[in-house]
């Protein structure tokens, strides 16, 4: 069996390898987003480097953005149905199934409330955007226990541009989200992490630090390039929770 990835250098090396393997896909993500942002069309270049369009006017079409926004609007405004169907269920079973449906609605509502507190778009808004503009949808779905033993719903979409993963014959082997966080965010989310040396000096600008949020089939660990922010901790899911 392959040894699990735990050291920062091993996790970062695995992410870098996946970045190289999927470089064409990530280039497409950037190009699609450029179309959505209506970046000016510069004209078509020639392979020999000669300017074949000198003197021609160029037109930047708004059609990609309009089409994507139409799809996003359809998804966001659509009615969501959750049904557990047991055609031959007795009255008692139907009551139980009804409670299950209400629980799922409550979980999704709790996820949205958390995202709003974090100044992020609601779950369906984010997923609609990523599905339409990136073409992929990723996210972390977990019930997380705080230090005081209370539990909260954590359903967090991941931008596919910054998501890395590896597959094996049974599905996901691991997944990692690469994101920039400020020192206050790191200190708040990972209070046990030793980052005193990063905070040395008064008035230092905090441009953010690359964080690797890594999940395999059993554990979650969070690392930077030179340290562990969260040691490998069982995530409680029977599979990679991505």
């Amino acid at each position: 069996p392959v040894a699990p990835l735990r050291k920062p250098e091993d996790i970062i090396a695995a992410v870098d390898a996946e970045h190289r393997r999927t470089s064409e896909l990530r280039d497409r993500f950037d190009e699609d987003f450029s179309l959505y942002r209506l970046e000016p069309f510069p004209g078509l270049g020639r392979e020999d480097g000669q300017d074949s369009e000198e003197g021609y006017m160029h037109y930047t079409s708004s059609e990609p953005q309009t089409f994507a926004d139409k799809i996003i609007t359809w998804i966001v405004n659509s009615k969501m149905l959750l049904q557990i169907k047991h055609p031959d269920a007795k009255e008692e079973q139907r009551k139980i199934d009804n409670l299950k449906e209400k629980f799922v609605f409550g979980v999704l509502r709790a996820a949205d409330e958390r995202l709003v507190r974090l100044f992020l778009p609601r779950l369906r808004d984010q997923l609609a955007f990523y599905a339409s503009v990136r073409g992929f949808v990723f996210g972390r779905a977990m019930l997380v226990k705080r230090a005081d033993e209370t539990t909260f719903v954590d359903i967090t979409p991941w931008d596919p541009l910054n998501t890395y993963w590896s597959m094996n014959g049974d599905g996901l082997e691991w997944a990692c989200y690469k994101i920039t966080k400020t020192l206050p965010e790191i200190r708040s989310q990972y209070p046990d992490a030793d980052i005193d040396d990063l905070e040395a000096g008064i008035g230092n600008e905090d441009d953010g630090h690359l964080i690797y949020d890594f999940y395999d089939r059993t554990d979650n660990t969070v690392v930077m390039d030179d340290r562990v922010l969260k040691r490998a901790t069982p995530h409680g899911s029977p599979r990679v929770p991505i």
Side-chain angles (χ1 to χ4, degrees), residues 11-182:
I11 291 175
I12 294 172
V15 168
D16 288 345
E18 287 302 305
H19 182 85
R20 292 189 295 271
R21 186 184 67 83
T22 58
S23 60
E24 292 184 1
L25 174 65
R26 296 177 197 281
D27 288 343
R28 196 202 77 190
F29 287 161
D30 284 330
E31 292 167 0
D32 289 348
F33 190 53
S34 296
L35 289 174
Y36 181 77
R37 292 185 61 194
L38 302 184
E39 291 189 4
F41 174 60
L44 300 175
R46 287 175 34 164
E47 293 182 359
D48 59 9
Q50 298 297 317
D51 187 357
S52 61
E53 297 190 338
E54 185 176 358
Y56 286 84
M57 296 183 66
H58 298 138
Y59 168 68
T60 301
S61 172
S62 62
E63 184 177 353
Q65 185 187 78
T66 302
F67 183 65
D69 283 342
K70 182 182 293 186
I71 297 174
I72 293 169
T73 301
W74 284 343
I75 297 173
V76 171
N77 293 333
S78 62
K79 183 177 181 180
M80 182 170 59
L81 298 177
L82 291 173
Q83 291 183 322
I84 300 175
K85 294 185 177 181
H86 286 145
D88 301 324
K90 296 182 180 180
E91 180 67 22
E92 186 63 27
Q93 183 61 49
R94 286 198 295 270
K95 290 180 179 180
I96 294 173
D97 291 343
N98 186 51
L99 291 175
K100 292 178 182 177
E101 293 168 5
K102 289 182 177 180
F103 171 75
V104 175
F105 276 115
V107 165
L108 296 175
R109 185 165 55 249
D112 278 343
E113 290 172 354
R114 174 178 173 273
L115 292 172
V116 169
R117 288 197 301 271
L118 295 172
F119 298 110
L120 295 172
R122 287 176 169 82
L123 179 62
R124 199 186 328 191
D125 296 2
Q126 291 193 61
L127 295 179
F129 175 82
Y130 290 137
S132 303
V133 177
R134 299 293 196 207
F136 275 72
V137 171
F138 287 95
R140 176 183 61 220
M142 301 173 63
L143 285 173
V144 181
K145 184 178 289 186
R146 300 185 181 92
D148 62 1
E149 298 298 316
T150 59
T151 303
F152 67 92
V153 174
D154 176 6
I155 303 179
T156 304
W158 284 2
D159 185 346
L161 180 65
N162 303 316
T163 302
Y164 300 86
W165 67 93
S166 179
M167 305 286 290
N168 59 24
D170 296 322
L172 274 179
E173 185 174 12
W174 59 261
C176 184
Y177 195 45
K178 182 179 176 182
I179 188 172
T180 299
K181 292 183 181 292
T182 64

Side-chain angles (χ1 to χ4, degrees), residues 175-198:
C176 184
Y177 195 45
K178 182 179 176 182
I179 188 172
T180 299
K181 292 183 181 292
T182 64
L183 287 177
E185 289 175 325
I186 296 172
R187 186 166 51 248
S188 171
Q189 296 177 25
Y190 311 108
D192 296 331
D194 182 8
I195 58 172
D196 291 342
D197 60 311
L198 300 178

